[in-house]
Amino acid sequence: DIQMTQSPASLSASLEEIVTITCQASQDIGNYLSWYQQKPGKSPQLLIHSATSLADGVPSRFSGSRSGTQYSLKINRLQVEDTGIYYCLQHYSAPWTFGGGTKLELK
Amino acid sequence: QVTLKESGPGILQPSQTLSLTCSFSGFSLSTSGMGVGWIRQPSGKGLEWLANIWWDDDKYYNPSLKNRLTISKDTSNNQAFLKITNVDTADTATYYCPRILTGSYFDYWGQGVMVTVSS
C-alpha cells in the first residue's frame, strides 16, 4: 500500500499569513494527488486535483505543487473561512490512501 | 447539478450486515470514466477509503477490511450500494459516497450518513 505522510498534524496561523501543508508519498504517484478541506460537521470538499489544478469555485489563494514524491498545499493570505482540517489523497493505485489530516486554526 | 445522498440504518448490532445506499443525480454511472466511492470517518478521526465502483462495473476494495465489503450499483435508478458484513463497534462512523470524475479524484460528496454499531 502507498503511505501518505501528512505534516504538520496541526497548525495555528494568523490572518493573511502564508500556510503550507505537505504530503509525502511512500512511492511515485505521479500527479494522482488531490487535496480536500473539511469543516466541522461537513463533508470534505475538493480543493486541488491532479496535484496542481484548482477545483472549480475554489479561491485562487489555494495552490498545489509537487516536487518528486512530496506534494504541498499552499494557502496565500489565510482567511477566517480557511480554518478546518485538510487531507491529501493519493488515487494512483488501490487502496487509495488519505493523509492523516492537518488541523488548521487561526492564531 | 450533481448531488449525492447517503442513507443507512442508523444503528445496528454487532455481527449484523450494514447496508448503505447512495442515491445520486446530475450524472450517470453508465458514462465512461464515472465512478462512485465509499469513504468512512469515525468521529474525530481521519478519512478511510473503503471501495470504488466504476461505470464498467469494475470494483476495488480496501484489503484492510478483508472480504467484508461488497459494492454494487443500479445504473437505471442512479444508486450505488455498499454492504459490510459482520460489523462491530469499530465500524461506527460517518459514511460518505463521493463521485469519482474521469477515473480519478472525488469531486462531489454527499452529506454523509452516521452509522452506530452497538449492542
Side-chain angles (χ1 to χ4, degrees):
Chain A
D1 298 2
I2 297 174
Q3 307 302 317
M4 300 302 296
T5 303
Q6 188 170 341
S7 61
S10 64
L11 178 57
S12 182
S14 302
L15 274 176
E16 305 282 315
E17 190 173 333
I18 297 173
V19 168
T20 300
I21 299 167
T22 298
C23 271
Q24 178 70 49
S26 60
Q27 64 185 74
D28 179 33
I29 60 169
N31 286 332
Y32 291 89
L33 187 286
S34 48
W35 290 96
Y36 302 84
Q37 177 195 61
Q38 186 177 33
K39 293 186 174 290
K42 300 293 186 181
S43 57
Q45 300 294 308
L46 177 68
L47 296 174
I48 301 286
H49 65 85
S50 308
T52 61
S53 297
L54 196 66
D56 291 344
V58 175
S60 59
R61 63 180 178 274
F62 290 90
S63 63
S65 63
R66 171 193 173 190
S67 176
T69 56
Q70 182 168 289
Y71 300 80
S72 297
L73 173 70
K74 183 178 177 182
I75 309 173
N76 279 315
R77 302 186 64 184
L78 185 69
Q79 302 297 301
V80 173
E81 60 266 31
D82 299 336
T83 58
I85 302 177
Y86 292 80
Y87 296 94
C88 64
L89 167 70
Q90 72 79 18
H91 37 91
Y92 176 78
S93 68
W96 292 11
T97 44
F98 289 92
T102 295
K103 186 174 184 179
L104 175 59
E105 297 177 320
L106 271 180
K107 195 179 291 182
Chain B
Q1 179 189 4
V2 173
T3 64
L4 305 101
K5 186 173 184 179
E6 306 86 350
S7 58
I11 186 166
L12 67 166
Q13 296 184 334
S15 80
Q16 289 186 321
T17 295
L18 169 60
S19 295
L20 298 167
T21 299
C22 176
S23 301
F24 55 85
S25 63
F27 70 99
S28 173
L29 259 182
S30 62
T31 300
S32 179
M34 285 294 177
V36 167
W38 285 96
I39 311 297
R40 71 180 179 182
Q41 184 174 40
S43 181
K45 297 191 176 181
L47 301 167
E48 179 183 27
W49 173 77
L50 299 176
N52 292 343
I53 189 166
W54 304 96
W55 84 100
D56 59 359
D57 211 37
D58 203 5
K59 301 163 188 174
Y60 290 90
Y61 295 102
N62 191 326
S64 69
L65 277 83
K66 295 183 175 68
N67 298 317
R68 299 174 54 214
L69 301 177
T70 303
I71 193 170
S72 60
K73 61 183 173 68
D74 179 351
T75 302
S76 58
N77 287 308
N78 286 341
Q79 291 182 314
F81 310 96
L82 183 72
K83 289 188 188 296
I84 306 178
T85 60
N86 193 27
V87 298
D88 68 10
T89 55
D91 296 308
T92 294
T94 296
Y95 287 78
Y96 299 99
C97 67
R99 185 179 81 159
I100 307 170
L101 183 63
T102 56
S104 194
Y105 51 91
F106 299 123
D107 64 340
Y108 286 92
W109 294 64
Q111 63 191 22
V113 60
M114 285 188 61
V115 174
T116 301
V117 180
S118 174
S119 55

